[in-house]
């Protein structure tokens, strides 16, 4: 390019800026990001927005269809369930349980998985292999079976979902981080840093980690969507959140008795789960296509 | 190569023992008496109690108990079901084939539709179609399986009344269980209505199999598309084009075999999630398989059933995933090269 202005300095975008640019070039990913931002906002603001309490029952309005139906009423936007509870308020409160819970679980699992995975990845030989494969046995137990095992030991309930899904998730993080760190460790630029006299902590944090973050971010988005589906599945099977709870999967289980009479008590929580998971996957997909070309 | 197989088999043994250890520890943590959780006999007579103590070495050290536990479980003794008071191993052999049938058919549907669609998505120049396929697969990947199952059940089973919604076969047909796989049993049986029963079994299979197939279908489609797009840019494809080979020959001889290698790998990685989904699908469609059996086991706190179910499904997954990994190495020269280089 010919520059007319001699004072003009060509600006080079930073690494992060370029990733962000690629990311927002994908409109679907941006939609997903907005949806997630709204969900996070909802998790914090639900008690102030929801028109009713999630347990408030109205015996005058039982199984009322959603407002767009001819028998519906705007007062109950998504209709009511068999106890006359407002589904809209319950969905809003469910954001906190299903989505908020998944975030908590994933970050707790990430914390533990990161520490173990990083240590085992930095080590070599038998020790590394033992630490890395120690949790492979847990990896082979499907998350739902792990949850069944946890429920058999400590009984059903929302707090136990935390342990069930969390225990199933930690080995995945350990494996992902272990592999990523191990792979980077073989590369020449790490050897160069070693020859420069960097100790292993410096190598890990300043040399290897900058190249592992993107894998970690992708893994986290995948884990969040898997966690939401697991929490909801457990609620649906009545092994997780229990009856009056507005957790989305549990709401569907409660609506199951009226499946034929009032299909919206099932459809609406289902759509809520679908939209949430879809927007997270859209962001994950966008991030992957923004980050991965850089690796090759 | 042999050394590699040997290492894989070692890994399989180590993982299985760890799995048994996890189960053994969990059994000790169940909120009931240990001998009850191990054997399933609620109020044993003095003789039975002595017998249980003897088989599970309950008076001995924890290590000896664990060895006795492994011996019992691997010899096929899972105790009796707390609920039905029948041998758990017998129940397991009854429910396992039904689950395998469902999983196999679902996997078949996923591959039969996923691979061609993935190939089509990779080869088409139409951006709109590409986007559409991506959107469909992403939605299929995100949809909660229990909601999908219920919606299909409500729509095709109840509103349209096309397909039966629960069970493996209409109870009117009396089919003797030979293999436990209903599709084979109906054909094997010598009853006059065996073909009608077969048709009925197929109709019963459609809804659960399609519901279960959605997840592997989307993953297979995505991976096939990705892999084939990569492969088609390789220089050996251009070389094949330069030699004047036709498109279909290039695709089937040079493109697809290389593109299917990552698909195989992704199938191996997907097994755990697939099993979780299978359990939910079995519960929704009252499919008489392991998942349904396990879930009713947990509702009734049937501890012996829970152990047997988790052990059998997990062992199946471990062995299948290691088998797929070995297959992957055997057919993929590139990963063999890595193998030798790392030594």
């Amino acid at each position: 390019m010919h520059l007319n202005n001699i004072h003009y300095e060509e600006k080079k975008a930073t690494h992060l800026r370029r990733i962000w640019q690629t990311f927002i070039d994908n409109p679907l990913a941006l939609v997903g990001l907005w949806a997630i931002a709204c969900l996070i906002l909802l998790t914090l603001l639900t008690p102030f927005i929801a028109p009713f309490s999630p347990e408030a029952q109205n015996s005058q309005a039982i199984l009322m269809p959603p407002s767009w139906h001819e028998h519906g009423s705007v007062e109950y936007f998504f209709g009511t369930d068999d106890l006359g509870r407002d589904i809209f308020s319950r969905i809003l409160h469910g954001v906190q349980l299903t989505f908020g819970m998944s975030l908590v679980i994933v970050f707790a699992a990430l914390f533990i998985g990161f520490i173990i995975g990083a240590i085992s990845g930095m080590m070599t030989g038998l020790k590394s292999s033992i630490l890395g494969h120690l949790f492979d046995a847990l990896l082979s137990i499907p998350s739902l079976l792990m949850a069944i095992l946890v429920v058999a030991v400590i009984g059903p309930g929302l707090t136990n979902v935390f342990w069930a899904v969390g225990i199933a998730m930690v080995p995945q993080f350990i494996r992902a981080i272990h592999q990523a760190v191990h792979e980077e460790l073989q590369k020449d630029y790490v050897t160069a840093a070693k020859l420069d006299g960097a100790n292993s902590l410096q190598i890990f944090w300043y040399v290897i980690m900058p190249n592992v973050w993107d894998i970690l971010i992708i893994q986290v988005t995948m884990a969040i969507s898997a966690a939401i589906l697991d929490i909801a599945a457990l609620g649906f099977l009545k092994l997780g959140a229990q009856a009056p709870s507005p957790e989305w999967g549990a709401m569907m289980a409660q609506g199951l008795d009226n499946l034929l009479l009032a299909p919206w008590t099932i459809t609406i929580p289902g759509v809520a789960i679908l939209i949430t998971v879809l927007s997270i996957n859209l962001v994950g997909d966008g991030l992957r296509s923004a980050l991965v070309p850089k690796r090759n | 190569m042999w050394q590699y197989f040997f290492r894989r088999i070692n890994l399989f043994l180590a993982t299985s023992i760890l799995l048994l250890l996890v189960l053994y520890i969990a059994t000790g943590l169940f909120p009931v008496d240990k001998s009850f959780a191990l054997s399933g006999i609620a109020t044993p007579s003095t003789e039975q109690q002595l017998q249980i103590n003897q088989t599970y070495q309950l008076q001995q050290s924890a290590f000896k108990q664990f060895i006795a536990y492994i011996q019992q479980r691997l010899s096929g003794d899972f105790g009796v079901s707390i609920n039905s008071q029948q041998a758990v191993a017998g129940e397991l052999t009854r429910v396992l084939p039904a689950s395998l049938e469902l999983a196999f058919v679902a996997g078949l549907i996923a591959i039969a539709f996923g691979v061609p669609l993935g190939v089509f998505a990779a080869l088409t120049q139409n951006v709109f179609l590409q986007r559409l396929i991506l959107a469909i697969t992403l939605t299929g990947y995100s949809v909660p399986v229990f909601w999908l199952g219920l919606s299909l059940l409500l729509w095709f089973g109840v509103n349209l009344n096309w397909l039966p919604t629960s069970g493996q076969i209409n109870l009117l047909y009396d089919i003797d269980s030979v293999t436990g796989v209903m599709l084979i049993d109906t054909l094997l049986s010598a009853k006059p209505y065996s073909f009608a029963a077969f048709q009925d079994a197929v109709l019963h299979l459609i809804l659960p199999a399609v519901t279960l197939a959605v997840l592997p279908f989307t993953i297979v489609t995505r991976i096939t598309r990705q892999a084939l797009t990569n492969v088609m840019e390789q220089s050996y494809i251009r070389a094949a084009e330069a030699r004047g080979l036709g498109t279909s020959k290039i695709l089937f001889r040079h493109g697809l075999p290389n593109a299917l290698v990552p698909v195989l790998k992704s199938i191996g990685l997907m097994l755990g999630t697939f099993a979780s989904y299978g359990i939910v699908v079995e519960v929704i469609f009252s499919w008489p398989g392991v998942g349904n059996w396990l879930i009713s086991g947990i509702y009734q706190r049937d501890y012996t059933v829970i152990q047997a179910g988790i052990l059998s499904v997990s062992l199946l997954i471990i062995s299948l995933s290691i088998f797929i990994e070995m297959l992957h190495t055997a057919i993929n020269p590139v990963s063999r090269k890595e193998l030798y280089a790392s030594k």
Side-chain angles (χ1 to χ4, degrees), chain B residues 71-249:
Chain B
Q71 275 172 354
Q72 289 305 312
R73 292 302 183 247
L74 292 189
S75 64
D77 175 17
F78 292 96
V80 296
S81 161
I82 292 168
N83 208 36
S84 67
Q85 289 298 318
Q86 283 175 343
V88 172
E91 291 191 0
L92 187 63
T93 49
R94 234 189 353 268
V95 292
L96 206 52
S99 288
L100 292 180
E101 180 186 7
L102 179 62
F104 182 74
V105 173
L108 214 61
I109 294 176
I111 291 172
F113 288 92
V115 171
L117 193 67
V119 171
F120 176 73
L123 295 185
T124 180
Q125 304 294 326
N126 188 333
V127 179
F128 173 73
L129 275 178
Q130 279 180 348
R131 288 262 165 89
L132 186 73
I133 292 173
L134 260 185
I136 290 173
T137 52
L138 207 58
T139 315
Y141 187 63
S142 313
V143 71
V145 65
F146 38 97
W147 179 66
L148 180 72
L150 283 174
S151 309
L152 290 179
L153 185 149
L154 198 63
W155 190 247
F156 291 102
V158 180
N159 286 353
L160 293 174
N161 204 8
W162 285 354
L163 294 166
T165 56
S166 77
Q168 206 175 7
I169 194 164
N170 197 321
L171 294 176
L172 289 173
Y173 298 110
D174 177 30
I175 300 293
D176 304 318
S177 174
V178 184
T179 56
V181 178
M182 198 49 91
L183 290 181
I184 298 174
D185 279 356
T186 48
L187 288 179
L188 283 181
S189 82
K191 303 264 167 56
Y193 47 75
S194 71
F195 189 68
F198 175 72
Q199 284 175 326
D200 193 57
V202 170
L203 285 181
H204 274 84
L205 190 58
I206 292 175
L207 273 185
V210 167
T211 313
L212 186 54
V214 167
L215 174 85
F217 163 74
T218 54
I219 293 180
V220 166
T221 310
R222 285 170 69 88
I223 306 276
T224 311
R225 189 190 75 90
Q226 237 167 33
L228 196 61
T229 324
N230 262 341
V231 167
M232 289 315 246
E233 285 167 2
Q234 301 292 324
S235 45
Y236 57 79
I237 296 289
R238 246 180 302 152
E241 275 167 0
R243 269 155 55 204
L245 299 181
T247 315
S248 64
K249 188 152 192 190

Side-chain angles (χ1 to χ4, degrees), chain B residues 320-338:
Chain B
L320 264 179
S321 61
I322 287 185
F323 172 72
I324 288 178
E325 207 179 308
M326 294 209 294
L327 198 66
H328 179 255
T329 315
I331 62 171
N332 185 15
V334 178
S335 69
R336 277 211 297 278
K337 192 178 107 195
E338 280 168 13

Side-chain angles (χ1 to χ4, degrees), chain A residues 140 145 156 237 281-282 285, chain B residues 138 142 222 276 294 299 301 318:
Chain A
S140 63
L145 290 187
L237 293 173
N281 282 339
L282 281 175
D285 238 36
Chain B
L138 207 58
S142 313
R222 285 170 69 88
S276 285
L294 247 177
Y299 287 157
R301 296 292 182 275
I318 295 178

Side-chain angles (χ1 to χ4, degrees), chain B residues 260-270 324-325 328:
Chain B
L260 288 182
V261 172
V263 175
L264 186 69
K265 195 170 190 179
S266 75
I267 290 177
L269 290 177
M270 187 175 61
I324 288 178
E325 207 179 308
H328 179 255

